[in-house]
Amino acid sequence: MTLSTTSPSKDSQNPNAVDATNQGLLSRIRLPALHARITSANEAANWIQNGMTVGMSGFTRSGDAKMVPLALAERALHDPFQITLMTGASMGGDVDKLLTESHVIARRMPFQSDPVLRAAINRGEVMFIDQHLSETVEHLRAGQIAPIDVAIIEAIAITESGAIIPSTSVGNSASFAILAEKVIVEINLSQPLALEGMHDIFIPGKRPHRDPIPVMSAHDRVGTTAIQIDPAKIVAIVITDKLDSASTVTPPDAETDAIAGHLIAFFEQEVAAGRLSNALLPLQAGIGSVANAVLAGFKDSPFRHLTMYSEVLQDSTFDLFDAGILDFASGSSITLSSKKHDEVFNHIERYKDKLILRPQEVSNHPEVIRRLGIIGINTALEVDIYGNVNSTHTGGTHMMNGIGGSGDFARNAYLSIFTTKSVAKGGKISSIVPMVSHVDHTEHDVDIIVTEVGLADLRGLAPRERAPCIIQNCVAEPYRSMLFEYIKEAQTRGGQTPHVLEKAFAWHTRYRETGSMLKSTE
């Protein structure tokens, strides 16, 4: 096979190429014509120039590009340039941090979780487009946003036909590689070749004459095991052995155990009422310590033969496999703690027939979520007395991470559940407030609210019924009394959704001014 492309510099042809045979890479780069494309991260980074739109692999700290982004950050220190950066979700290895500090990122989408980047976003230095995770490549495919100039994709191997086999995440990698003008592949030798065959790459057709996505159950395979592209688009291959960044989940505590207990009891009631079986329905759980702890609570539950149709497969997923409670899990990435990473990837064959990794536009697709009847469990920053949820902003103005996939699932799930601890900052902040300072999920998309105090089932309730249900079941004193006082005054003013508008954000204002939502007399 003859491959040709235009090189960014005269030095990036063969002088930096690595002998694939000497490096033992024949099992990783199976198309011999691509061996000449092996080069350094610095040389590969030369393909990226000022003003470009770059798509990088990576979904919640796994399967992310690791070498070329660092080369970009280093280059920008003496050769300033900026790019629009698209990913699947958050990056690991301080990539977002270093690219922000080097002023490489002008625009970023659709999700991030780095404190340095977050601060730059909130200063207005980086334009952050917070998108539902199912939508980014839909916009790309339709030409609604700028096209991808260069895609940087981590892989475990390239096939004999030039197809890219992803590593521990798929995310948006497949569509980035397909839609990009040029592709840089990072072959990660630390990622086991045993991952091959675990991926299911299905790309929806263009609208309006798109066929339905034929996923009828969590374990259905409907695509290919690798990303099929023209190998002529692969302009550089970089070899790395860097591990994925470990997840930062903390162990369950008394509050998260209580949240899990309330949810298990609720599911038991649903089974008793005949609305669910002991296998429930496919589970989805957001990322983070609370979600991970809630899933871990299923180990001591009566439920068996569970399945997952989710985004991120965390430690708890594999704990449930090992406990014989979970039969199958479909996701878009595997993100684990350091300890669990070694346990899982040293024995990945044990789980291989129980896992599928899909593009996030499939794992998060509203059609599939609605069809399968997903039970969506996501985390809220704050909830108001009518069930509106804020997942993204503190104080109504400052971005935390982004909406991620919670909106994809909340709007379309069989059960839309949001969990949160009832207070934060040592009790100075109530997570249940009169009115959320920013709305990500309206009351129309929220069925269940759970805190360590209890669970509020909002199904079939009007706003005037929702408020006392949430306050009584999910709020601890003294905030419970404060909310009952608020709703009593609000109801004297009437309305379908009663509020005292001049006091609706008083709690947020008080926290900003005094450091606590509590009244000074409390």
Side-chain angles (χ1 to χ4, degrees):
M1 180 178 293
T2 301
L3 302 178
S4 63
T5 189
T6 301
S7 173
S9 71
K10 65 181 180 179
D11 298 324
S12 62
Q13 295 278 350
N14 290 331
N16 290 308
V18 178
D19 186 329
T21 303
N22 292 340
Q23 295 298 318
L25 296 178
L26 291 179
S27 63
R28 301 277 185 163
I29 305 171
R30 302 165 192 166
L31 178 59
L34 288 175
H35 293 170
R37 302 289 166 82
I38 301 173
T39 188
S40 68
N42 289 336
E43 286 294 339
N46 286 332
W47 288 98
I48 297 164
Q49 300 298 319
N50 185 53
M52 283 186 170
T53 297
V54 178
M56 290 187 188
S57 67
F59 192 103
T60 315
R61 302 165 67 86
S62 70
D64 49 344
K66 297 176 175 66
M67 297 295 290
V68 178
L70 302 186
L72 290 172
E74 182 179 351
R75 188 180 104 204
L77 296 176
H78 57 82
D79 177 22
F81 65 98
Q82 289 196 308
I83 62 172
T84 292
L85 175 59
M86 298 183 188
T87 61
S90 56
M91 305 282 281
D94 288 335
V95 165
D96 274 324
K97 172 180 180 289
L98 294 171
L99 291 176
T100 301
E101 291 174 339
S102 299
H103 305 288
V104 171
I105 304 176
R107 304 176 72 82
R108 179 76 166 84
M109 65 178 75
F111 185 88
Q112 56 77 42
S113 62
D114 181 80
V116 173
L117 175 56
R118 180 186 306 141
I121 290 167
N122 289 321
R123 290 193 302 268
E125 295 172 5
V126 175
M127 296 297 102
F128 179 54
I129 298 88
D130 184 22
Q131 290 182 310
H132 297 297
L133 294 187
S134 65
E135 290 190 338
T136 304
V137 296
E138 293 278 28
H139 289 180
L140 279 171
R141 192 180 291 117
Q144 294 174 298
I145 54 179
I148 299 285
D149 295 296
V150 179
I152 309 172
I153 309 298
E154 180 177 275
I156 58 168
I158 300 173
T159 71
E160 293 83 355
S161 66
I164 300 168
I165 305 173
S167 59
T168 46
S169 72
V170 179
N172 284 327
S173 298
S175 287
F176 286 167
I178 291 167
L179 297 172
E181 182 180 343
K182 297 178 175 64
V183 178
I184 298 169
V185 179
E186 292 193 4
I187 298 290
N188 193 329
L189 303 181
S190 76
Q191 302 278 26
L193 275 173
L195 289 171
E196 185 171 359
M198 192 177 293
H199 309 91
D200 187 50
I201 311 300
F202 179 90
I203 305 299
K206 289 188 176 182
R207 295 177 285 197
H209 303 296
R210 171 185 293 173
D211 290 333
I213 296 173
V215 175
M216 300 299 173
S217 66
H219 63 266
D220 281 353
R221 289 186 169 276
V222 297
T224 61
T225 58
I227 303 168
Q228 307 290 331
I229 65 168
D230 180 355
K233 295 206 301 183
I234 300 176
V235 295
I237 299 172
V238 177
I239 309 302
T240 180
D241 60 359
K242 286 191 173 185
L243 294 172
D244 285 339
S245 296
S247 69
T248 56
V249 295
T250 56
D253 55 27
E255 287 83 8
T256 57
D257 284 344
I259 291 170
H262 296 316
L263 265 178
I264 296 300
F266 167 75
F267 290 135
E268 289 175 339
Q269 294 168 9
E270 292 295 289
V271 172
R275 289 187 286 267
L276 292 173
S277 72
N278 273 328
L280 303 180
L281 285 165
L283 300 172
Q284 175 265 336
I287 62 172
S289 300
V290 174
N292 195 66
V294 167
L295 283 181
F298 281 96
K299 287 191 294 184
D300 299 319
S301 78
F303 307 115
R304 294 295 183 271
H305 301 297
L306 300 179
T307 58
M308 291 186 69
Y309 191 87
S310 194
E311 306 159 295
V312 183
L313 307 182
Q314 304 180 82
D315 287 21
S316 54
T317 303
F318 295 90
D319 290 339
L320 293 176
F321 275 140
D322 294 341
I325 293 169
L326 183 66
D327 286 354
F328 199 90
S330 168
S332 194
S333 74
I334 300 173
T335 302
L336 304 173
S337 66
S338 296
K339 179 177 182 295
K340 184 58 68 174
H341 178 278
D342 292 341
E343 292 176 5
V344 169
F345 284 99
N346 287 342
H347 305 282
I348 190 64
E349 293 83 1
R350 180 191 305 169
Y351 306 102
K352 192 169 180 179
D353 63 347
K354 301 177 181 179
L355 294 172
I356 288 179
L357 295 181
R358 308 181 190 273
Q360 68 194 66
E361 62 177 316
V362 176
S363 68
N364 290 46
H365 200 283
E367 173 197 356
V368 180
I369 294 168
R370 183 69 64 95
R371 178 189 303 136
L372 298 185
I374 302 300
I375 296 174
I377 306 171
N378 290 285
T379 305
L381 284 179
E382 64 178 4
V383 182
D384 70 25
I385 56 176
Y386 295 113
N388 298 292
V389 171
N390 171 15
S391 295
T392 59
H393 285 67
T394 60
T397 57
H398 282 57
M399 172 60 64
M400 284 294 291
N401 300 332
I403 193 169
S406 57
D408 296 322
F409 286 92
R411 182 68 182 90
N412 300 286
Y414 168 81
L415 280 172
S416 175
I417 300 168
F418 281 91
T419 65
T420 181
K421 295 183 179 183
S422 66
V423 296
K425 301 291 185 183
K428 294 179 179 179
I429 293 177
S430 174
S431 300
I432 314 294
V433 294
M435 184 182 285
V436 288
S437 57
H438 176 90
V439 181
D440 291 297
H441 314 282
T442 75
E443 61 184 273
H444 310 290
D445 299 335
V446 179
D447 298 317
I448 309 291
I449 301 294
V450 195
T451 72
E452 79 282 1
V453 177
L455 180 147
D457 185 348
L458 306 180
R459 294 174 296 175
L461 299 185
R464 284 174 177 262
E465 297 169 313
R466 283 174 164 237
C469 180
I470 292 172
I471 297 169
Q472 184 62 43
N473 290 295
C474 297
V475 187
E477 295 290 2
Y479 291 112
R480 179 185 292 169
S481 295
M482 292 169 61
L483 285 171
F484 274 126
E485 177 185 339
Y486 175 86
I487 196 62
K488 181 178 180 180
E489 180 178 356
Q491 287 176 347
T492 65
R493 302 192 178 191
Q496 163 75 358
T497 309
H499 268 300
V500 184
L501 290 181
E502 65 271 23
K503 296 181 180 179
F505 295 119
W507 294 25
H508 299 89
T509 302
R510 189 157 54 239
Y511 176 75
R512 185 186 63 199
E513 294 176 350
T514 70
S516 176
M517 286 185 173
L518 292 168
K519 296 178 181 178
S520 58
T521 56
E522 298 294 336

